[in-house]
């Protein structure tokens, strides 16, 4: 997923992902890659200014402090005179600005070649009187031919979800894994998770999710211990891969996961 930010022909990357499974961490990894290897103006937008400040202090500053490749870029001095504040951090060849979707002056104040928008389903409907915050932020990238835009969110209400609409305009990739028994490739779906319970026909009188297993499309039963190798995309005989279910869909320049 993170490699899509450098994929030829791809301008926009969309992540529709469940909570607490590495969405923001993936975006931060992409952010720091650009800081170190493709320095440029970068804008990172959170739903509110407060959340942007929290991200800066709790995750970005910590990563800079603890990562040998990043610390020299940003320096140790966090004073305003050094060009480092909570919402603005300079580095050689670029500037990282953080903003809240509810702060129109910050969104519209500077150009950006790289744009990150996290938790877009929590963005306000309008940034002050300026309109849709995604549209405002997107306009900051217009003058860059090599712009990269990354939108991510846990989905909100079906039918009005921003991230759902963005995904629908992408190539809609799903992760294909091979059954460790019959080697049939398939997308993992919730409905195929099974466990003993009163209605399972197993004779169990209570639900036992600790004994959960997965039934592949050919009927094989896959245990939890077999999952790590299934999910690997290299170093195994049947590597997992991303399949485009809507190839050429939308504008043809958007990778969706």
């Amino acid at each position: 997923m993170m490699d899509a930010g450098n994929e030829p022909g791809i301008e926009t990357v969309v992540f529709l992902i469940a909570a607490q499974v590495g969405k923001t961490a993936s975006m931060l990894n992409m952010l720091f890659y650009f800081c170190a290897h493709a320095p440029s103006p970068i804008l990172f937008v959170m739903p509110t200014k407060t959340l942007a400040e929290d991200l800066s202090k709790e995750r970005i500053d910590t990563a800079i402090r603890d990562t040998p490749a990043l610390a020299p870029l940003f320096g140790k001095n966090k004073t305003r005179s050094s060009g480092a504040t909570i919402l603005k951090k300079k580095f050689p060849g670029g500037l990282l600005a953080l903003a809240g979707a509810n702060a129109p002056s910050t969104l519209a104040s500077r150009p950006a070649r790289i744009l990150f928008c996290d938790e877009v389903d929590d963005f306000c409907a309008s940034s002050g009187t300026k309109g849709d915050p995604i549209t405002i932020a997107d306009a900051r990238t217009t003058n860059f031919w090599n712009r990269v835009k990354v939108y991510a969110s846990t989905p909100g209400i079906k039918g009005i979800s921003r991230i759902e609409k963005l995904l629908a305009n992408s190539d809609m990739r799903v992760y294909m894994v091979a059954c460790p028994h019959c080697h049939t490739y398939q997308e993992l779906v919730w409905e195929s998770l099974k466990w003993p319970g009163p209605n399972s026909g197993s004779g169990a009188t209570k639900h036992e999710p600790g004994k959960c297993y997965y039934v592949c499309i050919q009927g094989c039963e896959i245990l939890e211990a077999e999952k790590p190798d299934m999910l690997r995309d290299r170093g195994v005989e049947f590597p997992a891969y991303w399949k485009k279910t809507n190839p050429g869909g939308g504008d043809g320049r958007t990778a969706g996961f």
Side-chain angles (χ1 to χ4, degrees):
M1 289 167 56
M2 293 180 285
D3 290 338
N6 271 334
E7 190 173 319
I10 294 299
E11 178 180 295
T12 305
V13 183
V14 178
F15 298 155
L16 187 157
I17 308 181
Q20 299 299 313
V21 293
K23 167 180 56 61
T24 302
S26 296
M27 297 177 76
L28 290 176
N29 288 343
M30 296 171 74
L31 162 68
F32 293 132
Y33 169 84
F34 287 118
C35 290
H37 299 288
S40 51
I42 302 173
L43 177 61
F44 201 116
V45 185
M46 296 292 289
T48 66
K49 180 181 177 183
T50 299
L51 288 174
E53 291 173 341
D54 290 344
L55 180 74
S56 177
K57 291 182 289 187
E58 297 170 8
R59 302 187 71 171
I60 292 178
D61 284 349
T62 302
I64 291 172
R65 181 196 67 198
D66 295 341
T67 308
L70 296 176
L73 297 179
F74 291 89
K76 296 181 179 180
N77 188 349
K78 296 295 187 293
T79 64
R80 291 183 180 273
S81 60
S82 72
T85 65
I86 295 176
L87 295 177
K88 184 181 71 173
K89 303 179 189 301
K90 291 183 178 179
F91 55 94
L95 170 73
L96 168 60
L98 295 101
N102 60 344
S105 59
T106 309
L107 287 181
S109 63
R110 56 175 56 87
R113 182 176 87 83
I114 312 296
L115 171 65
F116 293 94
C117 292
D118 195 11
E119 294 298 359
V120 298
D121 273 14
D122 291 336
F123 280 18
C124 50
S126 178
S127 187
T129 60
K130 302 295 185 180
D132 177 47
I134 290 183
T135 302
I136 298 172
D138 181 86
R140 301 299 93 208
T141 68
T142 302
N143 291 334
F144 294 91
W145 66 270
N146 55 347
R147 56 187 172 270
V148 177
K149 299 174 288 185
V150 183
Y151 302 109
S153 188
T154 302
I157 300 174
K158 188 173 181 63
I160 63 173
S161 164
R162 277 192 173 101
I163 199 67
E164 180 186 37
K165 293 177 181 177
L166 288 166
L167 184 70
N169 193 49
S170 75
D171 55 22
M172 301 180 71
R173 307 179 189 191
V174 297
Y175 206 50
M176 302 295 289
V177 298
C179 171
H181 305 290
C182 68
H183 310 307
T184 301
Y185 275 93
Q186 58 204 284
E187 176 191 5
L188 298 180
V189 295
W190 172 258
E191 290 75 17
S192 292
L193 282 175
K194 308 294 179 182
W195 58 85
N199 300 319
S200 67
S202 63
T205 58
K206 63 179 181 179
H207 285 290
E208 301 180 66
K211 297 180 180 179
C212 186
Y213 59 94
Y214 189 90
V215 180
C216 102
I217 57 178
Q218 300 294 343
C220 307
E221 294 185 3
I222 304 170
L223 302 179
E224 173 74 14
E226 297 173 302
K227 184 174 69 174
D229 277 346
M230 287 175 62
L231 299 176
R232 292 170 61 185
D233 63 357
R234 63 200 70 188
V236 292
E237 187 177 0
F238 297 95
Y241 70 95
W242 286 99
K243 177 182 178 181
K244 299 177 182 179
T245 63
N246 187 34
D251 58 12
R253 302 190 305 275
T254 301
F257 300 88

